[in-house]
Amino acid sequence: MDQVAALELRSVDLQSSRNNKEHHTQEMGLKRLIVRRGQLFTLQLHFNRPFQFQTDHITFVAETGPAPMELLGTRAIFSLTQARQGNVWSASDFTIDSDSLFVSLFTPANAVIGSYTLKIEISQGQGHSSTHPLGTFILLFNPWSAEDDVHLPSEALLREYILTDYGFVYKGQKRLITARPWNYGQFEEDIIDICFEILNKSLYFLKNPSKDCSQRNDVVYVCRVVSAMINSNDDRGVLQGNWGEDYSMGVSPLEWNGSVAILRQWSARGGQPVMYGQCWVFAAVMCTVMRCLGVPTRVVSNFRSAHNADGNLTIDTYYNRNAEMLPNQKQDKIWNFHVWNECWMIRKDLPPGYNGWQVLDPTPQQTSSGSPEERSVFMKASQKMLGPGRASSPFLDLLGSGDFQDQPAQLQLHLARMPEWGRDLLLKLHARRVADRAHPRAPIRLEVRFCAQALLHKGGAREPLWRQTVHLNLDFGQEIEWPLLLPFNNYGNKLTDEKLIRVSGIAKVKETGRSMLVLKDISLEPPHLSIKASERAEVGKALGVHITLTNNLTVALSNCVMVLEGSGLIDGQISNELGTLLPGHTIQIQLDLYPIKAGPRQLQVLISSNEVKEIKGYQDIFVAAAGAS
């Protein structure tokens, strides 16, 4: 009998395009293989002759990390078989077509995520064996797999929390919430590499690289590492926080349009923290990283967010007789809003009932106390005790100041018109006489002292910028509305970039000497930005965009700079210096974009100036595939 020639590998096709589409990773590109664990993917191996299953033996070796070991789960060795065998690394379901072998590889749903090298060893009986590299692939979490700890059984939620690469971050204050567009950009081709670079620069990896990589099969572990690495408090994390007012060494947190520019800058500069971030920037960047790695993630905003540092579950704020909010020497503060993340996962490390959305906060705060497990159980338990929508954590949902009992009048402050930066603010004090024990139905006299202060994001305030005193006489049952005017000249150059004002009033009852407090927090709206795009958008074809900004204010906007961003529409950013926009004048920008990817996209536009840092707008655009009719 003639001796059969030794089997030799001539070429390999990782079938990246087909596999990536089946694994929902095609948006990351089709040139390299990016797959999700717990799901088959197919390779084509081309040999010098037809493969013979009875005599040709093929063994696959997949490795990840700096020192791959089977014991650590970072090295897998598995032979070609005719059928798949459970939730383990396997090569099976093969077909032979002339000199080509098509084989399906399966990665277990609890495999370590990361960048893998793949090779095969070919042998015939006890004779010669040879090893051939097949290439590399990236393995991610798989929320489509019922066996994966991040499984999310809803296509609608998967589209929202994995596949959507743009969204909104909610800011402002509880009675005037503003939605700001954000470009998550998790599918930009280099972002997946930067995500693993973040893991590889963590303190855990630097201390013990092999152990760290071996724990990357655990979504809980990965989330904690990423949460620590988004800020740079005790490592070479992505963002440096800044809650002051001097951003001259970097970029104001208000001037970021998305995560991509931040992550790319961090990587390009060798892991030097990017300046600067605040809570919504930290949370938005973490959302990008976790969605990229395959973990369903969302950004959550909480308004009047109380930070309790001493554990007594109370926050004390002090005002003097002139209604001025006084500095607080304690760490306790009520933030205007706070933003964190929630990631979807099964918690095998906790008792039953704790699966689902898990709170993760990448904003650097005080040092945590207690184990992560204790904090997670505490969060769940406090939600049950306080009721839906409330949680007890270092950032506490403010339970609301209780109504003052037995007061002779009800006082409320209202805005009489939309508060716009650059215009005088018009408020109304609504006062109503009600029965009380001291003077059930007698008339009362009120002296109301008002004070306005620039409000800081972390809850403090600047020196008073406006004062006014009002005297009211109220008969029983009587209601009065008193107008209050806060001129632009009083606040124009005294606010922070976030344009927040607190108006406080202390009403003293002349008959009893008792006092009442009335408050109104005001978030000033920036000028409106108009964006219009051509009716039809197609990959590779010019898309006309028209941007208009009219300065309806009484002051000029100087050093205006426009930045455009939008994954799938623009590669990176487009930046233009626009100069000074005088009062009553209009800037009009006409430009053509050439969309890169098909599907729903969002164009984000930011115009910043010395006077107003955050004039933002967006336009949703559906891009047709190239050549689509």
Side-chain angles (χ1 to χ4, degrees), residues 18 130 152 238 244 315 327 446 478 480 597:
R18 171 188 167 184
S130 58
L152 182 58
V238 176
I315 307 291
L446 297 178
Q478 184 182 6
I480 292 178
K597 296 179 181 178

Side-chain angles (χ1 to χ4, degrees), residues 239-362:
L239 278 160
Q240 181 175 323
N242 185 342
W243 287 268
E245 298 168 43
D246 180 8
Y247 305 115
S248 58
M249 299 297 292
V251 176
S252 164
L254 296 171
E255 294 184 69
W256 296 112
N257 259 354
S259 307
V260 177
I262 295 170
L263 291 167
R264 284 176 173 168
Q265 180 179 321
W266 176 82
S267 178
R269 296 183 179 179
Q272 291 298 314
V274 176
M275 301 182 286
Y276 293 102
Q278 290 183 8
C279 61
W280 71 91
V281 185
F282 291 112
V285 172
M286 180 160 182
C287 183
T288 296
V289 174
M290 298 316 300
R291 286 186 185 181
C292 184
L293 295 176
V295 181
T297 305
R298 61 192 185 188
V299 175
V300 178
S301 298
N302 177 61
F303 296 88
R304 283 190 60 76
S305 193
H307 184 194
N308 179 238
D310 56 15
N312 65 358
L313 302 188
T314 65
I315 307 291
D316 299 319
T317 307
Y318 298 93
Y319 296 83
N320 65 17
R321 61 192 301 269
N322 295 314
E324 178 184 346
M325 185 168 67
L326 302 176
N328 187 354
Q329 301 304 316
K330 298 173 65 176
Q331 286 188 320
D332 291 6
K333 291 200 171 46
I334 302 173
W335 288 33
N336 307 312
F337 66 93
H338 185 57
V339 185
W340 60 74
N341 299 100
E342 290 182 353
C343 295
W344 180 272
M345 67 191 75
I346 292 172
R347 294 300 301 270
K348 294 178 179 175
D349 57 327
L350 296 178
Y354 293 89
N355 298 332
W357 292 110
Q358 308 292 312
V359 174
L360 288 142
D361 193 343

Side-chain angles (χ1 to χ4, degrees), residues 18-184:
R18 171 188 167 184
N19 287 320
N20 289 9
K21 289 176 182 176
E22 292 180 352
H23 286 248
H24 303 93
T25 62
Q26 70 271 25
E27 288 282 310
M28 297 180 182
L30 301 175
K31 295 180 181 178
R32 55 178 175 169
L33 183 59
I34 305 173
V35 293
R36 301 185 186 275
R37 63 187 194 176
Q39 185 175 339
L40 292 166
F41 62 95
T42 303
L43 310 179
Q44 180 184 5
L45 307 176
H46 184 70
F47 297 106
N48 60 320
R49 62 167 174 79
F51 172 76
Q52 297 178 5
F53 181 71
Q54 300 300 327
T55 57
D56 297 325
H57 303 291
I58 295 179
T59 300
F60 291 83
V61 181
E63 297 177 328
T64 188
M69 293 177 58
E70 285 186 86
L71 185 64
L72 294 176
T74 50
R75 187 172 197 253
I77 303 173
F78 48 102
S79 298
L80 182 65
T81 57
Q82 289 183 317
R84 185 163 69 85
Q85 303 167 358
N87 187 36
V88 295
W89 289 86
S90 62
S92 60
D93 302 326
F94 63 88
T95 58
I96 301 170
D97 181 7
S98 185
D99 292 346
S100 291
L101 175 69
F102 294 85
V103 58
S104 295
L105 269 60
F106 180 82
T107 61
N110 60 350
V112 168
I113 65 164
S115 180
Y116 280 80
T117 59
L118 185 64
K119 58 188 178 183
I120 59 169
E121 297 176 355
I122 303 173
S123 63
Q124 291 171 285
Q126 301 298 319
H128 173 75
S129 66
S130 58
T131 301
H132 305 269
L134 299 182
T136 62
F137 67 93
I138 294 174
L139 189 64
L140 303 176
F141 292 109
N142 191 355
W144 282 268
S145 169
E147 303 302 317
D148 199 306
D149 285 351
V150 300
H151 178 232
L152 182 58
S154 166
E155 282 297 327
L157 295 182
L158 287 166
R159 282 194 300 273
E160 175 70 18
Y161 299 127
I162 287 287
L163 299 179
T164 300
D165 59 4
Y166 60 87
F168 297 94
V169 176
Y170 294 92
K171 299 168 54 183
Q173 47 99 3
K174 67 175 184 177
R175 297 195 185 279
L176 190 61
I177 296 172
T178 56
R180 295 291 185 244
W182 191 270
N183 181 37
Y184 294 119

